[in-house]
Amino acid sequence: MAVQWRFEADDLARLRFAFSPLWEVVASLRVLSAPARHSVHLPWLRAVKPRLGELDLSELLALAPARGYIADFLTPPPDTPLPDFAAELARVRETPAEKAAEEAGWVATPDTRAIARFQADPAAGVRRVADTLAAYWELAHAEHWPRVHGLLEADLMWRTRRLAAGGAKELFADLHPSVRWEGDRLTTATGGAWCHAGDLGGDGLLLVPSAFRWPDIAVMAEPYQPMLVYPARGVGTLWEAGPPPAPGALAALIGRTRAQLLLSLRDPASTTAIARRMSITPGAVSQHLSVLSASGLVVRRRLGREVLYRRTPTGDALAGAS
């Protein structure tokens, strides 16, 4: 599959980022189907697979096969920068039956019986699939979302700095090996037979970092909002357990927990993400961040509804020296 979009000035101005917990849930189905190809997520798979024994995922797995096209109604483009899973799932439930049936017919899956069942009554099929997604989220993703969210927000901060520093050329230079920026065009190559080329038409492009989409990219085009989903930076460290060690000298200077927190901020993160990473309460994290901020070691920045913390140059120097 090759996709080429031509950017005009309005499209560059409307280049934006978003997260999508629903995208993570749907993309993770491919980890279940083809774990060898998604080895970075094997620690997650080992943790959640025993819980899934009584959950019938066959219809979902048919609509989201291990390779190729996934029915688009399962993954609508995020309509806010930081959507929550319940809001995204509500959009799936609102899918018109005709659209769901049509998209199900485009899926190339060995489980043709599941697709036939879905198409026989697509309204009921959408309800079943949405209910299964809700159950799968609770069993396999809800407790892990803060960790995944922390990875995604760190990627977002990195990419927005790249965009601010060097424009679209700098942003796309290391997004993914199959993504190429040339003049006023963005070209992606993901294999397969489907091709698309055209103007963005002032709609801009939505960029969505993903943990479970690794190692591939995904694209959506009209009639949906043009969107590019790409693997987030640092996904290889996602399932590393526990906080980083706190070297003795730094721990003696500012305290062991604050030293661990400072070292953990190699990329910007929210209070919730830090708390999950370090296995302490968000309230305790806030207290330690207040001290580190007052000492000039971290600063805060608001991004949408969230506040992200990052190290200052002084904090970097302390962390690096340790």
Side-chain angles (χ1 to χ4, degrees), residues 46-69:
R46 285 193 291 267
V48 305
K49 194 168 185 179
R51 310 174 190 174
L52 302 177
E54 296 184 6
L55 182 62
D56 183 2
L57 291 168
S58 58
E59 198 166 27
L60 263 181
L61 292 171
L63 291 166
R67 290 181 179 272
Y69 173 75

Side-chain angles (χ1 to χ4, degrees), residues 18-29 60 64 70-79 82-95 129-137 141 145 148 152 208-213 220 224 227 229:
F19 303 158
S20 175
L22 180 60
W23 262 92
E24 299 305 319
V25 169
V26 174
S28 73
L29 294 168
L60 263 181
I70 294 174
D72 286 326
F73 77 89
L74 295 176
T75 54
D79 55 1
L82 301 170
D84 62 45
F85 179 75
E88 291 193 299
L89 188 60
R91 295 178 64 198
V92 174
R93 294 188 186 277
E94 294 168 0
T95 305
V129 165
D131 289 344
T132 304
L133 282 170
Y136 179 46
W137 164 264
H141 287 278
W145 175 243
V148 174
L152 302 182
V208 179
S210 173
F212 282 95
R213 187 65 196 183
M220 293 185 78
Y224 292 92
M227 179 172 69
V229 182

Side-chain angles (χ1 to χ4, degrees), residues 148-184:
V148 174
H149 185 276
L151 178 81
L152 302 182
E153 67 183 4
D155 179 274
L156 189 150
M157 291 295 293
W158 168 264
R159 298 296 172 192
T160 53
R161 290 199 298 268
R162 297 270 290 185
L163 180 62
K169 183 177 181 179
E170 185 80 5
L171 169 65
F172 292 116
D174 66 346
L175 196 76
H176 191 270
S178 65
V179 175
R180 187 173 70 256
W181 177 262
E182 295 177 331
D184 61 351

